[in-house]
């Protein structure tokens, strides 16, 4: 029953904000207070004007409760309007209730404390300053115009008025603060409950994410193993083949599979599940190709100018295959009769927001008009297809050797 009355006054938990509910509670309590103040002033035989002011205050607070609780209107304007109206009502009441000898100062303190509970942080000092200013103004007006004050008829009347207003102001302040604290505790309980739910959901999502990560890592590991099995089978078949061209084709295919296997190995060994550290990937790939062609370590000078930026697997595999074809052709054809062979590899940002891969050697170079004839036809078509897949462009230049530049659109569109 009490809970139903409480929610009728303040509003349901899911429909009203915390400050809105406290405002509803405040104006409801003030409505009861002003009604009792009117009755009390009547029984104490105070000035009739004090009764009418109390009834006017009741009308204001009832209207405020109606618009706030039943119409759902609560904002800074409605709060400050109520603050100003209370001062307008209490200011004349101050002089009809014995001025500084009366208990109206208690009402100012009670209202100020209640409004400070629900006011936004930017308005609390404004409300404090507003009430303080008017209290000082009333005291100065009493000093300047003492004839404005309506004195008490008897000391009994004054003491009774003090006691009753003090009791009621303390009582209603305590009720508002108690209910405020109760609402605050309910809000905190709701927040703690929601926090526990979020923590549980986060923990569950984290566990699922770890499980998915482990599955993806296992997938990369199995793909790498399967590719290595295929590579080993092709190497075995190459050793058993008597035809030289078939043997070369199988060896080239094996190297291309090793390129893809190396990507999945990188993904399996790193914390990233969908991107490859391109710098170490291309470095390892170049060294592996150098060894596969029988070059001693350091015979061919390798210069790398690569960023550490991770690249997605969708770009890393085509780039690795293109790089494999370019470096393979350099090791096969470029360094015949070259004393100090040099291979330069660069990967940098392009002006269009993409990437620019450069593979340059100081070899014998190529006759660009006969390039397709001199380079393995399958490898050439593979590079063309992969460049097209990356929405890029292949540029070949003869500058003290062959320089191949591949413009890559990292966003996958022209």
């Amino acid at each position: 029953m009490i809970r139903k009355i409480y929610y009728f006054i303040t509003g349901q938990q899911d429909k009203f904000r915390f400050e809105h509910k406290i405002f509803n509670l405040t104006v409801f309590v003030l409505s009861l207070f002003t009604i009792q103040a009117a009755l009390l002033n009547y029984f104490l035989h105070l000035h009739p004007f004090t009764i009418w002011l109390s009834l006017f205050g009741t009308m204001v607070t009832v209207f405020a409760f109606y618009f706030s609780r039943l119409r759902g209107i609560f904002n800074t304007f409605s709060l400050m309007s109520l603050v100003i109206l209370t001062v307008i009502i209490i200011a004349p009441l101050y002089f009809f209730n014995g001025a500084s000898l009366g208990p109206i100062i208690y009402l100012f303190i009670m209202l100020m404390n209640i409004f400070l509970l629900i006011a936004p942080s930017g308005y609390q000092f404004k409300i404090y300053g507003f009430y303080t200013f008017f209290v000082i103004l009333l005291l100065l007006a009493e000093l300047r115009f003492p004839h404005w004050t309506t004195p008490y008829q008897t000391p009994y009347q004054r003491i009774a008025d003090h006691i009753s207003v003090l009791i009621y102001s303390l009582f209603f302040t305590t009720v508002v603060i108690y209910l405020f604290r109760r609402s605050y505790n309910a809000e905190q309980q709701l927040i703690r409950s929601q926090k526990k739910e979020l923590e549980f959901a986060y923990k569950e999502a984290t566990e699922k994410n770890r499980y998915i990560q482990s599955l993806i890592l296992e997938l990369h590991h199995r793909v790498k193993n399967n590719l290595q099995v295929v590579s080993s089978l092709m190497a075995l078949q190459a050793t058993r083949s008597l035809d030289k061209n078939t043997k070369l084709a199988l060896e080239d295919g094996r190297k291309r599979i090793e390129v893809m296997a190396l990507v999945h190995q990188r993904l399996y060994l790193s914390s990233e599940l969908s991107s490859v550290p391109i710098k170490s990937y291309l470095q390892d790939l170049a060294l592996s190709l150098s060894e596969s062609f029988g070059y001693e370590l350091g015979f061919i000078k390798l210069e790398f100018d690569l960023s550490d930026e991770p690249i997605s697997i969708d770009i890393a595999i085509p780039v690795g295959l293109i790089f494999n074809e370019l470096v393979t052709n350099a090791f096969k054809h470029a360094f015949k009769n070259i004393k100090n062979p040099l291979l330069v590899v660069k990967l940098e940002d392009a002006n269009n927001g993409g990437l620019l891969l450069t593979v340059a050697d100081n070899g014998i170079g190529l006759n660009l008009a006969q390039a397709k004839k001199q380079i393995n036809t399958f490898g050439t078509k593979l590079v063309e297809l992969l460049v097209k897949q990356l929405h890029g462009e292949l540029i070949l230049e003869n500058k003290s050797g062959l320089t191949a530049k591949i413009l890559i659109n990292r966003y996958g569109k022209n």
Side-chain angles (χ1 to χ4, degrees), residues 26 48 90 121 135 169 176 184-185 206 226 255 278 293 329 411:
T26 299
I90 296 178
S121 57
V135 168
S169 62
V176 170
Y184 175 80
N185 291 338
T206 302
N226 291 338
K255 290 174 183 176
I278 196 66
F293 278 98
N329 284 317
Y411 304 109

Side-chain angles (χ1 to χ4, degrees), residues 43-59:
F43 286 116
L44 290 176
H45 304 291
L46 297 181
H47 196 283
F49 204 67
T50 61
I51 301 172
W52 290 110
L53 284 173
S54 298
L55 293 176
F56 180 66
T58 302
M59 183 179 66

Side-chain angles (χ1 to χ4, degrees), residues 28 58 75 88 94 149 221 232 254 359 376 396 403 405:
F28 181 82
T58 302
N75 48 41
I88 293 175
Y94 173 82
T149 302
H221 184 56
S232 299
R254 186 189 67 80
V359 179
N376 183 278
L396 297 176
T403 299
K405 295 182 178 179

Side-chain angles (χ1 to χ4, degrees), residues 344-383:
V344 178
V345 181
K346 291 183 179 180
L347 184 66
E348 53 194 339
D349 292 329
N351 294 331
N352 63 350
L355 297 172
L356 176 61
L357 174 64
T358 303
V359 179
D361 61 64
N362 64 344
I364 60 176
L366 276 178
N367 183 346
L368 297 181
Q370 299 178 352
K372 289 187 178 182
K373 295 181 181 179
Q374 296 181 17
I375 301 177
N376 183 278
T377 302
F378 179 80
T380 302
K381 290 198 173 290
L382 178 61
V383 169

